[in-house]
Amino acid sequence: MDHFQLKNGEIYAEDVPLTRIAQEVASPVYIYSRATLERHARVFRDGLSKLDNPHLAFAIKANPNLAVLKIMANEGYGADVVSGGEMERALAAGMPPEDIIFSGVGKTQEEMRQGLRHNIGQFNIESEPEGEELASVAHAMGQQASATLRINPDVDAQTHAKISTGKAENKFGVAIDEAPAIFDRLASLDGMNLRGVAVHIGSQLGKLEPLETAFEKIGALIAQLRGNGHIITHVDLGGGLGVPHKEGEAYPSPMDYGDMIARVTKDWGVRLMFEPGRVIPANAGVLLTRVIRVKPAKINPFVIVDAAMNDLARPSLYDAFHDFAAVRPNGHKMMANIAGPVCETGDTFAMGREIDTVEAGDLAIFRTAGAYGATMASTYNSRPLVPEVMVDGDKYAIVANRIEPETILAAEQVPDWLD
């Protein structure tokens, strides 16, 4: 459940009416519910209760807002980071360095040094050249880098192609049939403490079967690596558990997920690590927008809103569905297209959808916007960078300011030779 509900004829975030935020902060604006974030963090952790001391690392890319990260830190989560900037955010939020996992295919040597200086808990190595570089950097610093080798199990996650990461053609990890030889070579390097393997096959997964297939392959690999004389103590199973975007959609629960993992991994004898992302913040956030006008069209009218693809990119990138709801619904419905003001045909949130009847000036929300929302925003068309608000009971705070075009313009310079 989430805490964006109708009360007194309008949608509230916990105990704050969204009309109040619109009046005081303006739109578009992301709004997060602290109560929902905390609840989802606890439900995910409770779903893994059959496991012995699992390590939970929130995937910061899903929502890197510092207030969100502080909540996750308070709930006992570490961080899965994919850049030096995300690492610094995790540390600023109070996440212990030993609870930070550094993933991603493009770690630079400076980012490796940064992680080693902070004594982060683990690097997830994505290729043999990366492992060689990490070992060299660590050895030069007189350290050993604790690491796992990310495996590409060639399993179709049955999700959108652009968020699938575990097929042979994807850029992530090393091929599972090549992994034993690569592991042998990397484990022998000075500066390297290669202690296990990692896997992550995709995002927004709607079924557990692809995950189970991947994990069974990882179990067989662990046995092979141990047979080759390697000590395997940690296995990172990634994240990817999907969330419902539409009323009536059913996704595997964290409890179902945890039960499957407990069954598949019962004989592994390792510490399991997890990188939950979307499943925690997605339904803990909405994007509040205002209708600019309703534009007549030959088939369905276009509801033009003040939020755009630069504020919420997922529909344009992935054809993602985000439920659209009037803040003050009148009980009537209309067939419409929903679009933003950006000068792109792709700036369209929905086509031919039945929605609450709205007109110019009305407020509405895009639901399930707490993950991969503000973090992917841009200033395209010289639009402001969208602000973020955190609600806690009957109060709220702006946790990321709206960055206006004049501020962005002030950061640019024209060279003297163009005068």
Side-chain angles (χ1 to χ4, degrees):
M1 64 166 290
D2 61 57
H3 290 78
F4 298 95
Q5 304 292 334
L6 273 174
K7 301 179 186 179
N8 307 316
E10 65 178 290
I11 297 177
Y12 278 58
E14 301 188 23
D15 297 320
V16 177
L18 297 191
T19 51
R20 176 184 161 197
I21 296 175
Q23 181 178 359
E24 297 173 3
V25 182
S27 62
V29 55
Y30 279 95
I31 302 170
Y32 309 128
S33 159
R34 175 182 180 177
T36 308
L37 285 164
E38 290 176 340
R39 179 181 182 277
H40 290 178
R42 293 166 189 172
V43 167
F44 187 86
R45 184 177 60 236
D46 292 346
L48 303 179
S49 59
K50 293 182 180 179
L51 305 178
D52 181 24
N53 192 30
H55 180 273
L56 302 180
F58 177 61
I60 286 186
K61 61 182 177 292
N63 190 321
N65 183 276
L66 196 58
V68 171
L69 299 186
K70 176 63 74 172
I71 289 172
M72 298 307 298
N74 291 344
E75 290 296 321
Y77 282 68
D80 169 61
V81 306
V82 294
S83 72
E86 286 191 348
M87 188 190 308
E88 296 303 326
R89 280 184 172 270
L91 294 167
M95 292 170 167
E98 62 269 22
D99 288 337
I100 295 176
I101 300 169
F102 197 166
S103 302
V105 301
K107 306 175 195 70
T108 66
Q109 290 192 14
E110 179 50 40
E111 286 175 322
M112 293 173 182
R113 283 188 282 270
Q114 179 185 1
L116 291 164
R117 286 194 298 267
H118 285 305
N119 293 309
I120 65 169
Q122 180 171 294
F123 293 84
N124 286 351
I125 299 169
E126 298 267 2
S127 68
E128 187 168 8
E130 179 193 323
E132 292 168 346
E133 285 188 35
L134 177 61
S136 175
V137 168
H139 182 63
M141 295 175 66
Q143 294 183 235
Q144 275 206 323
S146 293
T148 63
L149 179 63
R150 180 168 175 176
I151 308 302
N152 186 319
D154 194 20
V155 172
D156 185 353
Q158 300 176 33
T159 187
H160 192 283
K162 291 185 178 179
I163 50 177
S164 177
T165 60
K167 296 172 69 176
E169 62 265 31
N170 298 140
K171 68 179 182 179
F172 299 96
V174 302
I176 193 165
D177 59 331
E178 299 175 7
I182 293 173
F183 199 102
D184 284 345
R185 291 192 290 268
L186 292 180
S188 68
L189 298 177
D190 291 335
M192 177 64 68
N193 172 27
L194 196 56
R195 62 186 191 176
V197 293
V199 64
H200 176 74
I201 65 170
S203 184
Q204 188 58 12
L205 273 66
K207 298 177 181 178
L208 293 179
E209 288 80 6
L211 288 168
E212 185 166 351
T213 298
F215 297 162
E216 286 173 345
K217 287 188 172 188
I218 293 300
L221 176 62
I222 292 169
Q224 184 178 356
L225 292 173
R226 285 174 170 161
N228 292 346
H230 297 294
I231 297 173
I232 306 298
T233 59
H234 292 72
V235 176
D236 187 335
L237 295 182
L241 203 58
V243 299
H245 282 243
K246 304 177 185 178
E247 187 175 347
E249 277 188 336
Y251 278 79
S253 69
M255 190 63 69
D256 295 335
Y257 175 68
D259 287 347
M260 179 272 289
I261 290 169
R263 173 170 49 79
V264 173
T265 67
K266 63 183 186 326
D267 298 323
W268 286 11
V270 299
R271 187 178 189 194
L272 294 175
M273 313 178 80
F274 298 88
E275 303 166 7
R278 175 194 318 275
V279 69
I280 294 172
N283 281 313
V286 300
L287 176 58
L288 179 65
T289 187
R290 190 180 294 276
V291 177
I292 297 173
R293 67 182 55 90
V294 178
K295 177 181 180 289
K298 282 193 173 183
I299 302 175
N300 294 308
F302 280 87
V303 174
I304 310 297
V305 297
D306 64 2
M309 64 184 289
N310 70 292
D311 304 309
L312 179 61
R314 297 188 69 255
S316 179
L317 283 177
Y318 313 129
D319 301 316
F321 180 98
H322 286 269
D323 191 27
F324 181 82
V327 168
R328 287 179 169 168
N330 58 19
H332 299 292
K333 299 288 184 179
M334 64 187 292
M335 291 295 296
N337 309 318
I338 309 167
V342 158
C343 195
E344 295 277 353
T345 302
D347 185 25
T348 305
F349 297 102
M351 295 294 289
R353 185 186 298 179
E354 184 179 62
I355 62 171
D356 293 328
T357 298
V358 291
E359 58 186 33
D362 286 349
L363 292 168
I365 57 170
F366 291 103
R367 293 187 181 272
T368 321
Y372 302 101
T375 184
M376 299 177 80
S378 74
T379 60
Y380 185 47
N381 278 196
S382 291
R383 288 168 51 82
L385 195 62
V386 65
E388 300 165 79
V389 160
M390 180 73 73
V391 174
D392 181 9
D394 62 357
K395 61 182 180 292
Y396 77 86
I398 297 172
V399 293
N401 294 328
R402 190 184 310 277
I403 301 179
E404 298 290 352
E406 54 265 32
T407 301
I408 300 163
L409 185 62
E412 301 175 21
Q413 299 86 31
V414 176
D416 291 343
W417 43 264
L418 283 179
D419 286 345

